[in-house]
Amino acid sequence: MSRFQLLSDAQWALIGEFLPGPTGRKGRPFADARMTVEGIIYRYRCGIAWRHLPAVFGPWQTVWKWHRRMAGDGTWDRVLGDLTAQADALGLLDWSVSVDSTIARAHQHATNVTRVTGAPSNYNNPCLEPPDHALGRSRGGLSTKIHHIVDGNGLPLVIAVAPGQSGDAPTLIPLLAQLRVARPTGRPRTRPDAVRGDKAYSSRAIRAHLRGRGIRAVIPEPVDQQGHRRRRGSAGGRPVSYDQIDYRERNVIERSFVHLKQWRGLATRYDKLAIVYRAGVVLNAINAWTRQLGDTL
């Protein structure tokens, strides 16, 4: 296999039907879809500038335009949705999910764009560019935070990006609202069996939301919240309990971020637009799911 062939035949068979193809009309020859997608993957794996793509992938402008267009029209999200639906139908999707976030430092080439400081990020429509471009100033400088919901095997189900200084807890309910896995018949499944999260996700609002939907919360309570509850006496409610053995399985999302940052173009953000950078993260998830499903073909 050539070092420029980044997708196996089994992987391409899972996603090829969702990508554009020749229309039959006269004009400029249509780009090779597989080579173009592999060019996008190569760029994120190596963290190079788009214009430095090897010539084997074709004109770099074409590769960039494909990725920008498919990021904006939701093509990558539809591909990820179809893969998770296939995995669920095969019984490969573990519905005890984990949630967490990781920070990616923004390169100076990603930050020279006009942004509205302090503007709220958009978690509900990932195809819409937020005013702040998911760039925020945290202790390490300008950065972006990647939020993930992964299944029990550490494979991503929902992906969002936000400014680096933003909190984790406010994103959980919007992320759960985007969790939709299609079924062969009936409505999509939107409710996991359990949600594992660290202490950052411990709040009354989150616990009430999970309890109202019948979702088991595997979230420890911080020491300060324990003290506040005790000082309130009977008005503070019952002590929070969680399955400590099950909480150990939350490590799958940490390992998921380790694999994510093997792609240098994701470990450091070089993209100016949040939807383009998020599409690269979604493409990484698609690559992980196709590896999983390719073994079953």
Side-chain angles (χ1 to χ4, degrees):
M1 177 185 293
S2 168
R3 69 187 182 94
F4 297 119
Q5 184 179 343
L6 304 177
L7 295 172
S8 67
D9 293 339
Q11 287 179 284
W12 178 250
L14 291 166
I15 67 174
E17 61 181 299
F18 295 93
L19 301 178
T23 61
R25 294 180 296 181
K26 295 182 179 180
R28 184 177 300 175
F30 196 81
D32 184 346
R34 178 169 178 174
M35 187 61 70
T36 302
V37 172
E38 289 179 334
I40 299 171
I41 295 175
Y42 186 89
R43 185 264 177 176
Y44 279 104
R45 282 186 58 177
C46 299
I48 60 177
W50 289 102
R51 64 180 63 250
H52 293 160
L53 273 176
V56 67
F57 297 114
W60 70 266
Q61 297 94 332
T62 301
V63 180
W64 149 251
K65 288 178 181 178
W66 271 56
H67 183 53
R68 173 64 181 88
R69 187 182 303 117
M70 292 189 289
D73 64 15
T75 298
W76 292 130
D77 289 289
R78 287 192 294 272
V79 174
L80 180 60
D82 180 79
L83 294 175
T84 55
Q86 292 185 45
D88 186 46
L90 294 171
L92 300 177
L93 200 157
D94 187 338
W95 281 96
S96 293
V97 304
S98 299
V99 59
D100 206 350
S101 65
T102 186
I103 292 287
R105 181 70 182 270
H107 192 268
Q108 59 182 345
H109 293 167
T111 60
N112 57 347
V113 60
T114 303
R115 58 191 177 90
V116 179
T117 305
S121 287
N122 181 13
Y123 305 114
N124 299 319
N125 185 359
C127 296
L128 182 65
E129 181 69 17
D132 57 14
H133 303 293
L135 287 169
R137 190 173 295 280
S138 58
R139 184 174 298 179
L142 288 171
S143 57
T144 294
K145 183 174 285 188
I146 304 172
H147 297 272
H148 266 185
I149 291 180
V150 303
D151 78 332
N153 300 311
L155 294 172
L157 299 173
V158 182
I159 298 166
V161 294
Q165 84 285 0
S166 61
D168 289 347
T171 66
L172 178 56
I173 295 177
L175 285 175
L176 286 174
Q178 296 181 37
L179 179 58
R180 299 175 62 87
V181 176
R183 295 291 180 83
T185 58
R187 298 178 180 178
R189 177 166 180 176
T190 62
R191 187 178 65 180
D193 297 327
V195 172
R196 306 186 188 106
D198 58 21
K199 295 179 181 179
Y201 298 95
S202 177
S203 71
R204 288 193 173 187
I206 288 176
R207 294 184 188 278
H209 178 80
L210 297 178
R211 185 167 54 250
R213 296 188 61 193
I215 303 172
R216 182 165 52 90
V218 188
I219 304 173
E221 186 180 30
V223 175
D224 60 337
Q225 292 184 10
Q226 295 176 16
H228 296 331
R229 177 175 44 76
R230 293 193 192 99
R231 283 191 293 270
R232 297 184 63 187
S234 60
R238 298 178 179 178
V240 172
S241 62
Y242 70 100
D243 189 339
Q244 297 186 20
I245 302 299
D246 189 33
Y247 182 72
R248 297 175 184 174
E249 300 300 324
R250 198 189 67 83
N251 72 87
V252 297
I253 194 167
E254 305 294 352
R255 289 188 276 122
S256 174
F257 287 139
V258 170
H259 292 297
L260 169 72
K261 291 191 174 182
Q262 292 297 313
W263 287 18
R264 297 186 177 189
L266 299 179
T268 301
R269 174 176 169 177
Y270 298 99
D271 298 301
K272 291 182 173 63
L273 298 182
I275 58 174
V276 174
Y277 179 70
R278 177 186 173 274
V281 181
V282 175
L283 184 56
N284 179 272
I286 290 172
N287 184 66
W289 276 109
T290 53
R291 286 178 179 273
Q292 177 81 359
L293 294 171
D295 295 336
T296 65
L297 294 180

